């Protein structure tokens, strides 16, 4: 079995062994429900891959890796309340299945559990691991606030958008890798570079998500094509189109993105996509994404370890970059 | 200046110097608003008093103390959403002044900030401090869930109630003291005893709150007498009365505690209080509170330090016990 699958197996194993049959059941059932919903387990996998890359013992990194996954799932539970999202991974969201109060408190508990798992590593690693974790946690909250601000903010620039997705998505990928490197006792310069790799990979990853929402193989997976357009989300695609649009096209875009009539969704997605296509947005956004991906690879290239040590992480980065859904 | 006032000054100083003028302002303004609302600063004071009691350098404990205060305030921000409480310390609550989403996210950020402050002590203390902190944080969430469960649960026993206030209130007082003792590098046996002291003090403290709500000098402070009765809260007073009531009195109590008509509050408080008085509830609950207080003092007595070292903490415990509002 290759390392990626091996590590994924370890992560799923440790999640399945979590002691969540605890009292009060009203609190722990939603936590168990959330943790067992699956997902890519992207972040803990990055932690183990980074630890392994630097020749570390991945057993020492498994609980810090778990803590990041629990933290990430906590943010989803709270984000879903804020975004009023009814579904997550094809299942009812926690606030929808139970209620807002349960979702708030189960999320808070997951945050505390995440910290308790992060402590389960060598004591001398704890201050550094926790400091990276806390910094990322604060930044993720800041990113979510900016995302909420941008919903009502008329004009969002591309640098503002990149700043937001950096905080909301990329820093946790960076921190996942950094924590893996810390657990392997990597050199300071390597730790900085693997974090930078994670930031650029994270930004590319989010732009890829924006692209896949409209151009991905949705029909295969029962997802709606153009969900972001339907929800008036100002993604990279929209911001780039807005930047390049003629006055007439810009007016049309602004008009559609102010529309909340769900009955017109099909027409809206088609018309907005037609403007995107006329402006060659897909290709241009792909180029931006590629430049972040290339920058990520350059950071990886600069690490002071043999090329073969990087093979698994590189393979996983490629998989993320070339995925079609 | 005595130590209590000296430590209170240090705590208020470090809170006033917190760097909360950060971006995005939508996130940090509610945090600054919450942290500047005042309050007793009970928990960080206990941390510094415990550190001092064991001869520690309280400068080493000031950030861990701050972290507990920030954590406590985070729980209030989220509890107020869950309880739909419009006011806190005479000011609008965060979700009321802003909105639910801001209150959820500002609370989450405070939790992350709390952890980042807890890290600001000697690195070799961090694993133990954080482990005590995380355990308490999880238990506080469990206590809040039980409190919500008991709102709709018909029958709550006194042991169940004690279990709930132990988790919701007492463990954080215990942890505050324990963390102070850890920062002073106290012996394991002393750390356990100061924690036990905090647990019993915390339970006595909450029962005192229950008593003061009905029998305190509310009128001096503009608070409503019998607020817990008006809100149908099953406090220790109610549970004791329910235990001792005749069938007629029990029916009356149950009937009033199912009533949500705010127009009848004055009559309701008067009639329930009359039943309490007929059953001599005040004296009996005071006796229970006293027994927890005595137990707390016994733990304090058992510490392996000179009596004079305990004077400040003892004085503060007395103040909490004999307060009239």
């Amino acid at each position: 079995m290759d390392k990626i699958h091996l590590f994924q197996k370890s992560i799923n194993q440790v999640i399945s062994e979590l002691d969540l049959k605890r009292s009060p059941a009203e609190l722990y059932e939603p936590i168990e429900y959330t943790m067992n919903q699956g997902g890519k387990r992207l972040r803990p996998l990055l932690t183990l891959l980074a630890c392994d890359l630097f020749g570390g013992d991945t057993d020492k990194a498994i609980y810090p890796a778990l803590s990041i996954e629990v933290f990430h799932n906590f943010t989803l539970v709270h984000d879903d309340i804020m975004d009023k999202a009814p579904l997550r991974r094809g299942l009812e969201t926690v606030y929808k299945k139970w209620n807002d109060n349960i979702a708030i408190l189960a999320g808070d508990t997951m945050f505390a559990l995440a910290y308790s798992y992060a402590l389960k590593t060598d004591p001398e690693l704890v201050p550094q691991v926790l400091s990276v974790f806390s910094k990322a946690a604060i930044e993720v909250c800041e990113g979510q606030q900016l995302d909420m601000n941008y919903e009502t903010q008329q004009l969002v620039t591309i640098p503002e958008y990149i700043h937001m997705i950096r905080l909301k998505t990329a820093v946790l990928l960076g921190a996942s890798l950094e924590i893996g490197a810390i657990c392997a006792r990597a050199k300071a310069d390597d730790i900085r570079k693997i974090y930078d790799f994670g930031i650029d990979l994270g930004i590319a990853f989010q732009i890829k998500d924006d692209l896949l929402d409209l151009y991905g193989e949705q029909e295969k997976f029962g997802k709606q094509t153009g969900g972001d357009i339907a929800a008036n989300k100002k993604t990279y695609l929209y911001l780039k189109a807005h930047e390049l649009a003629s006055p007439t096209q810009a007016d049309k875009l602004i008009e559609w993105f102010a529309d909340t009539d769900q009955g017109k969704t099909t027409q809206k997605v088609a018309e907005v996509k037609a403007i995107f296509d006329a402006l060659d947005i897909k290709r241009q956004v792909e180029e931006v994404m590629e430049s972040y991906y290339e920058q990520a690879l350059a950071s990886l290239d600069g690490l002071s370890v043999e090329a073969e040590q990087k093979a698994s992480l590189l393979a996983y980065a490629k998989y993320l970059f070339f995925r079609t859904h």
Side-chain angles (χ1 to χ4, degrees), chain A residues 51 54 125 128-129 132 175 177-186 191:
Chain A
C51 180
F54 292 109
L125 297 173
Q128 207 182 345
V129 167
V132 171
L177 291 154
E178 188 173 0
I179 287 171
I182 292 167
C183 290
R185 294 176 162 78
I191 292 178

Side-chain angles (χ1 to χ4, degrees), chain A residues 143 146-147 150 159-169:
Chain A
L146 290 177
D147 199 13
Y150 294 171
E160 282 176 330
Y161 180 74
I162 293 291
H163 179 58
M164 183 276 280
I165 63 174
R166 185 185 208 283
L167 293 173
K168 185 167 171 171
T169 303

Side-chain angles (χ1 to χ4, degrees), chain A residues 206-219 223-230 233 235-238 241 253 257 265-278 280-283 285-286 324-325:
Chain A
Q206 184 56 54
I207 297 177
K208 180 90 190 182
D209 259 8
D210 291 357
L211 279 163
L212 288 174
D213 184 75
L214 189 59
Y215 300 106
E217 297 174 345
Q218 261 76 358
E219 55 291 352
K223 274 176 74 180
Q224 179 195 20
T225 296
D228 288 343
I229 294 174
K233 278 191 75 177
T235 66
Y236 203 105
L237 302 176
Y238 171 83
L253 282 175
F257 274 69
T265 297
T266 313
Q267 186 197 350
K268 175 177 176 172
V269 171
E271 288 199 19
V272 170
K273 188 166 182 288
I275 297 174
F276 286 3
D277 290 345
D280 201 16
I281 293 301
K282 180 170 184 276
R283 193 185 56 79
V285 174
E286 278 172 350
T324 55
H325 59 274

Side-chain angles (χ1 to χ4, degrees), chain A residues 27 31 73-75 77-78 102-112:
Chain A
L27 186 62
I31 297 176
N73 278 274
F74 137 67
T75 66
V77 169
H78 278 193
I102 293 271
I104 291 172
L105 199 60
D108 293 346
T109 310
M110 289 170 78
F111 197 175

